[in-house]
């Protein structure tokens, strides 16, 4: 008992050192516990990958080949280490023959994809910028009709991974997000995604999976990182200071749009069995003696563009890829424009919500569906677009929807969750 009293007396007499020691030990224990949890996640994922690697293949079959486009600069230069520790072992254990291509500078992924040879699957390891460069380079190829059938996997390694919530179950554990995204590639379940083709007057088209954003909320969000020293108040501070410099923040824009097109029926996932020989002979004889009547070619009607002037704080032209499993009647893109009557308080409040999810809009916003649109900024309007979180100079553009253009790997759990949201 005397020894215990002596220990407490020592701790009380040296309370500053004791406090520092407790903090250091607590942080160290938390750090080691996190490392242990990450190792457990990796071990479990590798065990699942081994099951894929043990599957037998026919003698004439070959190992699946995957081309990985890796951006080492993503996640503040940590992407290469994250990929090597969390994703690469899973692919190797599953028996996938991977070719890793690392980018050295911004825009290189576009050039690499234009020179890429045919592969069984394409894996993008990076963030929004890397993914946009890859699909842009892919769809600029002369043989893009063939290459667009290549399934694409997305491993989220960037600071912004806007497409991940549509494809994977996300958690606060980055290691778990990476391993689950890699396992979804091995399982092979895919979902078609729409693509936006965004073309200026002179430049080559840029392609987007999420959308194009322009306006005051985008401009204010671009300044948030400057106020990092304000901690959790930095988002509100950025929007409030923006109103001091720019108020009123209303912009005028002219949008011409085409009506949405009817979505054709989904093609069967498997080809129907070939009819037997007798049936084919009878069908050919029937067509020979009674040839089918050729239908006259359809006369294409001229496109009917509808123009609308919008006075808005911000607009967002986006795809329906937020829930890619939703079955829709029409193929369309969404044009969403916020109203022009925000107060300063409402601007700050809505800006905080949009920082978490830029695709949400207020009840009074204008929403249009279209298959294509022309965006023309009126006099005095300028700034920058955000195309999949990448910054481009604002200019007149034509945006066309390419429905179900690319196939991406999706986890079965996330698909079921999205279907449940639609039924609920």
């Amino acid at each position: 008992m005397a020894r215990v009293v002596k220990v407490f007396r020592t701790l009380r007499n040296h309370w500053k050192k004791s406090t520092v020691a407790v903090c250091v030990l607590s942080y160290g224990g938390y750090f080691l516990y996190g490392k242990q949890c990450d190792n457990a996640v990796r071990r479990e994922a590798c065990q699942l990958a081994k099951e894929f690697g043990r599957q037998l293949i026919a003698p004439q079959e070959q190992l699946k080949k995957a081309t990985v486009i890796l951006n080492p600069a993503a996640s503040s230069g940590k992407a290469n280490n994250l990929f090597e520790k969390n994703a690469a072992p899973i692919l190797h254990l599953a028996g996938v023959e991977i070719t890793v291509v690392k980018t050295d500078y911004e825009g290189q992924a576009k050039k690499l994809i234009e020179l890429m040879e045919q592969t069984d699957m394409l894996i993008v390891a990076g963030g929004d910028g890397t993914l946009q460069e890859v699909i842009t380079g892919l769809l600029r190829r002369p043989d893009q009709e063939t290459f667009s059938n290549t399934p694409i996997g997305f491993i989220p390694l960037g600071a912004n991974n806007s497409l991940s919530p549509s494809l994977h179950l996300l958690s606060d554990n980055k290691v778990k997000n990476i391993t689950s995204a890699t396992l979804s590639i091995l399982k092979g379940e895919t979902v078609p995604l729409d693509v936006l083709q965004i073309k200026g007057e002179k430049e080559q088209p840029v392609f987007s999976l999420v959308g194009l954003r322009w306006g005051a909320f985008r401009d204010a969000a671009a300044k948030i990182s400057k106020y990092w020293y304000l901690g959790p108040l930095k988002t509100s501070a950025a929007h409030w200071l923006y109103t001091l410099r720019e108020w009123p923040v209303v912009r005028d824009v002219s949008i011409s749009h085409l009506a949405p097109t009817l979505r054709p029926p989904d093609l069967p996932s498997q080809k129907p069995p070939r009819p037997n020989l007798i049936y084919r002979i009878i069908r050919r004889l029937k067509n020979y003696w009674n040839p089918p009547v050729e239908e006259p070619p359809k006369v294409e009607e001229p496109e009917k563009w509808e123009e609308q002037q919008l006075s808005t704080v911000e607009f967002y032209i986006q795809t329906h890829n937020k829930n890619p499993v939703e079955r829709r009647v029409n193929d369309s893109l969404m044009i969403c424009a916020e109203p022009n009557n925000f107060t300063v308080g409402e601007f700050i409040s809505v800006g905080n919500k949009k920082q978490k999810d830029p695709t949400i809009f207020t009840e009074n916003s204008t929403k249009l569906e279209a298959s294509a649109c022309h965006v023309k900024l009126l006099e005095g309007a300028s700034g920058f677009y955000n195309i999949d979180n990448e910054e481009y100079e604002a200019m007149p553009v034509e945006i066309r929807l390419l429905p179900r253009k690319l196939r991406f790997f999706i986890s079965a759990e996330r698909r079921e969750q999205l279907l449940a949201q639609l039924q609920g």
Side-chain angles (χ1 to χ4, degrees), residues 126-139:
D128 286 346
T130 310
L131 183 59
Q132 190 204 61
E133 286 186 20
V134 168
I135 66 167
T136 296
L138 181 68
L139 296 178

Side-chain angles (χ1 to χ4, degrees), residues 279-322:
Y279 177 83
R280 296 200 305 271
I281 293 173
I282 295 174
R283 185 177 59 184
R284 288 188 180 183
L285 291 173
K286 183 179 179 181
N287 290 337
Y288 177 78
W289 294 108
N290 296 311
V293 179
E294 296 184 1
E295 296 183 0
K298 294 182 179 180
V299 179
E300 294 186 3
E301 298 182 359
E303 295 180 333
K304 297 180 181 179
W305 292 88
E306 297 183 16
E307 185 174 0
Q308 187 167 351
Q309 306 283 340
L310 295 177
S311 180
T312 178
V313 172
E314 177 173 276
F315 74 82
Y316 203 146
I317 300 174
Q318 56 186 304
T319 63
H320 290 276
N321 290 338
K322 191 172 183 179

